[in-house]
Amino acid sequence: MVRRASNGADMLDREKSKDMGALSQLWPFLAPYKLLLLGALLALVLTASVSLILPLAVRRVVDNFGATDGAILDLYFTAALGVAGLLALGTGLRYALVTRLGERVVADIRKAVFARVIGLSPAFFERLMTGEVLSRITTDTTLILSVIGSSVSIALRNFLIFLGGLVLMLFTSAKLTAMVLLIVPLVIVPILTLGRRLRVLSRENQDWIAASSGNASEALLSVQTVQAFTHEDASRDAFGDVTEESYAAARKRITTRALMTVIVIFLVFSGVVCVLWIGARDVRAGGMTAGTLVQFVIYSVMVAGSVAALSEIWGELQRAAGATERLVDLLHATDAVTDPVQATALPRPVKGAISFERVNFAYPSRPEQPALDDLTLTIKPGETVALVGPSGAGKTTIVQLIQRFYNPDHGQVTLDDIPLSQMMRADFRLEMALVPQDPVIFATSARDNIRFGRLDATDEEVENAARAAAAHDFIASLPDGYDSYLGERGVMLSGGQKQRIAIARAILRDAPVLLLDEATSALDAESERAVQQAVDAMARTRTTIIVAHRLATVKKADRIIVMDQGRIVAEGTHDSLVAQDGLYARLARLQFTSDTALSE
């Protein structure tokens, strides 16, 4: 289960990475590129092996400084130069292969996470901020890229050098090597102790980064509202507080890692100095040659450097383990709305009969407040049904359940007598067209925004849909006509223009079920009349459900359903409901200015 990270308490509740095993969950993404991975490993082994050969050449050079034949010395220097060239080539190859592997794997992870998240129901996003999801797709995958493309290969290389150097040190001088091994436990203890603390701090740091991203995303996506209510300073303060918490968590992580590095490096190099002191005394006593001591010194420095590098990289691996956990959380996120394993196919052509059978429903974020209460409703094929009532009556909830954005808590919703829960969501949603209460405009052209309704539509079909939605004239007047860029969330358009684009999108879809959620609420009188004519024309040949506050738009509906507090309190035609003098009649009196308007 993924939970929203909104404050420190939430973060402490979140599951922490217990060990480095979380990185093993990257294997499914690495497995398709085994050849690339094998090539990188071979290059890595080559560079580590060459690095371990170099001190042997140095020993020969030192021990032959006094040789009478200078050719031997030249040969050893030439060999050392060849080893250096091989090391450079192997290192370049390793970098190219490992970096390419990292980029490829991270691209696959990003695609997999997005593919999973884009299919999750709206209930999921009641628990997790969109900004945090974006943070995981960007920040966390960047951490993983750093690990796969750099840290892991460096860690493996240093590990090989550590093992190989230790073995070669043993062959060089067993006595000195035994003394070096006495230092190892002193080094391992702080790595393990501080490493656990570092893992917890790394996860907390990433949580705060995600919360910061979510806070910024929420404010920027609503920037006009923020500025209209002069909320800039409060938004800056809120973002500043979250960012400072992120910095505080990062500071603790950095301090812990620095402390670990200081302790490890001091212990390692102090031990090396002591060992070299003893070795120098052996050279003076004739127990070993100067070249042997130099070889041992180089190996001991390589081993010590490897241990120091591993202690630093361990921190990066800890952070990557936390990032991997967070991404896997998304990939394995539980969702209440899922497709059945064995789905029932929706028979074609779709008639459009919709039925609610004793449905109870409350939104997950407010389970104690029923949105629908024991609702039973049958809509016949081709019927135009209007849903009216005060705000919060459950009108929009009916539209959302028809599209199965949520599952009913009790009862079922059917389409052509088949429960929605028994069908693939993509199967029955193909047969529905939606005009939402808040029209969504994408950061692309006007043409592509309308074509969103049906991707295979021709330019002529797009323009015909725009004409039917009374959108053609204003689109044609844009700088590039239908190819004009509309900006993020349609910032270049008025509210009415956005709504007409959304209506054109629904008209283009030409689906047997049409869902209109306050579809004309932002239109002026002239545009509303034109759009209403288009809607009336569409409604003649399909099942239409209209959610409206403005009763003038629903007077021609075949049936008007009056809702209040999640229940149906009345239903009938406009005239019959006005005659009943109930809730509908009271709403009508508020909206119509004369008795003549009521009787029309």
Side-chain angles (χ1 to χ4, degrees):
M1 182 72 70
V2 182
R3 293 198 294 256
R4 172 176 170 170
S6 57
N7 56 48
D10 286 341
M11 292 177 191
L12 294 176
D13 289 340
R14 295 180 70 136
E15 183 183 354
K16 298 293 190 293
S17 175
K18 298 298 188 298
D19 53 37
M20 299 297 293
L23 291 174
S24 66
Q25 296 177 89
L26 294 175
W27 176 246
F29 297 97
L30 288 164
Y33 310 105
K34 290 177 182 175
L35 287 178
L36 192 59
L37 181 61
L38 180 62
L41 287 173
L42 290 175
L44 188 144
V45 171
L46 172 66
T47 54
S49 301
V50 171
S51 298
L52 292 170
I53 292 172
L54 198 56
L56 296 173
V58 173
R59 174 185 173 179
R60 295 292 184 185
V61 169
V62 171
D63 283 343
N64 283 279
F65 271 151
T68 54
D69 187 359
I72 297 177
L73 198 59
D74 294 342
L75 181 62
Y76 285 131
F77 270 113
T78 303
L81 191 61
V83 169
L86 196 59
L87 179 63
L89 183 63
T91 302
L93 182 62
R94 173 181 61 84
Y95 169 80
L97 294 175
V98 169
T99 304
R100 179 182 168 189
L101 178 66
E103 293 284 358
R104 180 66 267 168
V105 167
V106 165
D108 289 349
I109 291 173
R110 284 177 175 156
K111 289 193 295 183
V113 172
F114 181 80
R116 171 60 177 156
V117 171
I118 198 69
L120 293 173
S121 68
F124 174 83
F125 293 97
E126 290 184 21
R127 306 189 305 270
L128 188 70
M129 291 179 68
T130 304
E132 182 172 348
V133 174
L134 296 177
S135 172
R136 295 187 186 192
I137 293 176
T138 54
T139 306
D140 287 350
T141 52
T142 300
L143 270 176
I144 291 173
L145 173 61
S146 172
V147 166
I148 297 177
S150 175
S151 298
V152 168
S153 71
I154 294 174
L156 287 174
R157 179 176 177 275
N158 279 285
F159 183 67
L160 289 175
I161 289 176
F162 171 76
L163 290 180
L166 209 56
V167 170
L168 291 170
M169 282 170 62
L170 189 62
F171 280 108
T172 305
S173 172
K175 173 186 171 182
L176 296 181
T177 303
M179 297 184 65
V180 168
L181 291 177
L182 293 175
I183 305 170
V184 172
L186 296 176
V187 176
I188 291 177
V189 169
I191 290 178
L192 295 179
T193 304
L194 294 175
R196 280 193 293 269
R197 172 66 177 158
L198 192 60
R199 180 170 60 245
V200 173
L201 292 174
S202 295
R203 180 65 184 263
E204 183 180 341
N205 184 202
Q206 287 304 113
D207 284 340
W208 277 116
I209 290 173
S212 174
S213 177
N215 182 288
S217 174
E218 186 176 49
L220 293 176
L221 289 174
S222 310
V223 68
Q224 291 186 11
T225 303
V226 170
Q227 293 176 1
F229 285 88
T230 59
H231 203 272
E232 296 95 330
D233 288 340
S235 294
R236 292 186 188 107
D237 291 342
F239 180 75
D241 290 342
V242 177
T243 304
E244 284 301 316
E245 291 288 357
S246 173
Y247 169 71
R251 189 177 57 196
K252 286 189 287 185
R253 174 182 57 80
I254 292 167
T255 302
T256 302
R257 182 172 170 181
L259 179 62
M260 183 173 71
T261 302
V262 168
I263 293 172
V264 169
I265 291 179
F266 177 76
L267 289 174
V268 167
F269 281 96
S270 294
V272 169
V273 169
C274 292
V275 169
L276 292 182
W277 175 62
I278 295 171
R281 293 175 65 87
D282 286 346
V283 171
R284 287 176 58 85
M288 67 170 62
T289 65
T292 303
L293 180 60
V294 169
Q295 178 181 313
F296 186 86
V297 168
I298 295 175
Y299 280 134
S300 62
V301 170
M302 291 173 70
V303 169
S306 297
V307 172
L310 286 171
S311 69
E312 289 191 23
I313 292 168
W314 185 255
E316 292 297 325
L317 295 178
Q318 297 278 6
R319 296 184 69 198
T324 302
E325 268 193 339
R326 289 157 52 82
L327 289 167
V328 171
D329 280 349
L330 286 181
L331 288 173
H332 297 161
T334 57
D335 192 6
V337 181
T338 56
D339 290 325
V341 177
Q342 294 184 330
T344 302
L346 180 62
R348 264 71 174 184
V350 173
K351 299 174 184 176
I354 297 172
S355 177
F356 283 70
E357 301 172 7
R358 305 200 67 178
V359 169
N360 288 279
F361 173 73
Y363 287 97
S365 58
R366 45 186 191 277
E368 72 290 342
Q369 184 180 342
L372 296 179
D373 186 5
D374 198 30
L375 183 131
T376 296
L377 173 63
T378 300
I379 301 171
K380 295 179 289 188
E383 185 179 17
T384 298
V385 172
L387 304 174
V388 301
S391 296
K395 307 181 298 295
T396 296
T397 301
I398 287 179
V399 172
Q400 292 183 322
L401 291 186
I402 288 174
Q403 294 182 294
R404 205 183 164 219
F405 289 149
Y406 300 88
N407 284 330
D409 297 328
H410 301 287
Q412 66 179 9
V413 183
T414 66
L415 174 62
D416 289 353
D417 298 323
I418 303 174
L420 297 184
S421 59
Q422 295 181 11
M423 295 183 284
M424 301 293 290
R425 286 169 290 172
D427 188 23
F428 66 76
R429 286 177 187 168
L430 280 172
E431 309 301 330
M432 299 179 181
L434 170 69
V435 180
Q437 188 170 359
D438 297 316
V440 175
I441 304 299
F442 298 95
T444 182
S445 68
R447 188 188 311 279
D448 287 340
N449 263 285
I450 297 174
R451 189 176 273 129
F452 197 86
R454 182 158 55 85
L455 295 179
D456 61 351
T458 64
D459 288 349
E460 183 181 2
E461 289 173 323
V462 169
E463 293 180 18
N464 289 338
R467 286 189 175 90
H472 175 76
D473 290 343
F474 86 78
I475 293 176
S477 68
L478 293 173
D480 296 314
Y482 279 82
D483 294 319
S484 296
Y485 175 72
L486 301 185
E488 186 179 13
R489 302 173 70 205
V491 293
M492 296 174 60
L493 304 179
S494 69
Q497 289 172 333
K498 291 179 188 178
Q499 211 143 25
R500 279 178 276 174
I501 292 281
I503 291 168
R505 187 185 294 157
I507 291 172
L508 182 65
R509 193 163 181 84
D510 193 26
V513 176
L514 179 62
L515 306 171
L516 304 173
D517 191 357
E518 297 287 358
T520 60
S521 62
L523 300 182
D524 57 76
E526 184 178 355
S527 296
E528 182 179 9
R529 190 178 302 111
V531 169
Q532 195 63 49
Q533 291 174 352
V535 169
D536 291 344
M538 283 198 300
R540 297 190 194 104
T541 57
R542 68 203 74 224
T543 302
T544 306
I545 298 173
I546 304 171
V547 174
H549 282 107
R550 292 163 64 174
L551 303 185
T553 64
V554 301
K555 289 169 61 177
K556 296 181 181 179
D558 298 324
R559 186 159 45 114
I560 298 173
I561 307 295
V562 185
M563 298 188 66
D564 190 23
Q565 296 182 356
R567 290 176 171 270
I568 296 175
V569 295
E571 61 179 285
T573 63
H574 171 76
D575 293 334
S576 67
L577 289 171
V578 168
Q580 291 176 20
D581 199 27
L583 174 60
Y584 184 85
R586 292 199 301 274
L587 293 172
R589 278 195 291 271
L590 290 171
Q591 294 190 29
F592 297 111
T593 57
S594 68
D595 292 337
T596 303
L598 282 173
S599 60
E600 289 178 353

